[in-house]
């Protein structure tokens, strides 16, 4: 209910509600050049065989009610990359009293450790203190609206294309952010506290 109460709050630039989640992206190269769809009525033809190039990560970051998208591709989702993402997010809201950050319970998310290891004790804690963190409950990651962002990125940005390297992935996610922000794409979240109580048949909170 903490999350659902948070989502029901009106848009407040001084206390933005931002959701974050990670999306792994396999990197794949072509064994043979595709045959282009070079005339009307034809489709791209691609060999089913491909070359594995490793895996990258996309931090899907969105302020749902504002339609602000800050999704970014990184080489992995380890603590240093997570810390860099949090620092950039803190820069994005210089006038905020606090940033309400919704995310899951990964070990690297639980404290300021990722930030202090990368930036030092003082600076790391200062960045962490800019956030009011709201964790999704166990088996409740679907309550994170960043999962919707992951779906949008998967369909609209990545599609069925084979992405060969991190630079290409970064360029594509940056272009998608620009398009999504110009369009002001917001999340229409309709699952409320009252609906949760009805759905899961439990009493009112005391």
């Amino acid at each position: 209910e903490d999350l659902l109460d948070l989502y029901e709050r009106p848009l407040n630039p001084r206390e933005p509600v931002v959701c974050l989640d990670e999306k792994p992206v396999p990197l794949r190269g072509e064994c043979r050049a595709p045959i282009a769809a070079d005339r009307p009525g034809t489709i791209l033809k691609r060999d089913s065989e491909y070359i594995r190039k490793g895996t990258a990560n996309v931090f899907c970051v969105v302020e749902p009610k504002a339609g602000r998208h800050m999704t970014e591709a990184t080489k992995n989702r380890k603590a240093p990359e997570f810390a860099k993402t949090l620092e950039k997010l803190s820069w994005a809201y210089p006038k905020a009293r606090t940033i309400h950050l919704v995310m899951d319970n990964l070990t690297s998310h639980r404290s300021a450790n990722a930030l202090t290891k990368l930036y030092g004790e003082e600076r790391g804690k200062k960045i962490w203190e800019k956030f009011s963190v709201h964790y999704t409950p166990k088996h409740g990651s679907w309550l994170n609206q960043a999962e919707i962002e992951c779906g949008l990125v998967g369909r609209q940005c990545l599609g069925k294309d084979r992405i060969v390297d991190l630079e290409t992935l970064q360029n594509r996610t940056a272009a998608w952010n620009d398009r999504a922000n110009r369009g002001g794409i917001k999340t229409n979240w309709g699952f409320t506290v009252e609906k949760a109580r009805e759905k899961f048949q439990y009493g009112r909170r005391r």
Side-chain angles (χ1 to χ4, degrees), residues 155-174:
R155 294 191 301 274
Q156 298 179 358
C157 176
L158 307 180
K160 296 181 179 179
D161 292 345
R162 289 175 183 165
I163 298 175
V164 68
D165 54 33
L166 178 59
E167 182 180 3
T168 301
L169 181 61
Q170 289 171 331
N171 290 337
R172 290 184 71 142
T173 52

Side-chain angles (χ1 to χ4, degrees), residues 18-202:
V18 180
C19 303
L20 178 150
D21 199 6
E22 297 95 351
K23 180 180 179 65
V25 178
L27 303 176
R28 300 178 177 128
E30 301 286 1
C31 290
R32 300 165 189 83
I35 300 173
D38 55 0
R39 61 182 185 278
T42 62
I43 61 172
L44 175 74
K45 296 178 181 177
R46 174 189 291 139
D47 197 300
S48 60
E49 186 179 1
Y50 58 84
I51 302 171
R52 293 179 180 271
K53 297 285 187 177
T55 304
N57 172 69
V58 175
F59 283 111
C60 295
V61 187
V62 60
E63 185 185 356
K65 282 192 173 179
R68 186 175 185 183
H69 304 262
M70 296 160 282
T71 287
E72 182 179 18
T74 59
K75 61 183 178 181
N76 56 51
R77 70 172 192 176
K78 293 181 180 178
E81 298 297 337
F82 172 66
K84 292 174 188 176
T85 299
L86 285 193
E87 185 192 33
K88 291 176 183 177
L89 185 53
S90 71
W91 292 344
Y93 297 94
K95 296 182 180 180
R97 284 191 295 264
T98 188
I99 302 167
H100 294 281
L101 181 62
V102 178
M103 55 185 179
D104 59 23
N105 281 286
L106 282 178
T107 303
S108 60
H109 296 177
R110 292 297 301 173
S111 68
N113 287 348
L115 288 160
T116 55
K117 285 181 181 178
L118 187 64
Y119 297 117
E121 195 76 16
E122 183 178 352
R123 184 180 171 193
K125 286 185 176 179
K126 188 174 180 180
I127 295 171
W128 183 252
E129 288 169 359
K130 292 183 178 181
F131 299 95
S132 297
V133 181
H134 304 258
Y135 295 107
T136 56
K138 189 175 182 180
H139 305 302
S141 61
W142 56 274
L143 287 167
N144 188 346
Q145 293 189 52
E147 288 207 349
I148 298 172
E149 182 84 348
C150 289
L152 287 175
V153 170
R155 294 191 301 274
Q156 298 179 358
C157 176
L158 307 180
K160 296 181 179 179
D161 292 345
R162 289 175 183 165
I163 298 175
V164 68
D165 54 33
L166 178 59
E167 182 180 3
T168 301
L169 181 61
Q170 289 171 331
N171 290 337
R172 290 184 71 142
T173 52
W176 183 83
N177 275 335
D178 288 343
R179 186 168 66 250
N181 285 321
R182 284 198 306 270
I185 298 175
K186 301 176 183 179
T187 304
N188 183 20
W189 182 266
F191 194 58
T192 64
V193 170
E194 293 304 322
K195 288 182 179 179
R197 292 170 181 167
E198 180 182 354
K199 174 76 173 177
F200 299 112
Q201 298 179 359
Y202 66 94

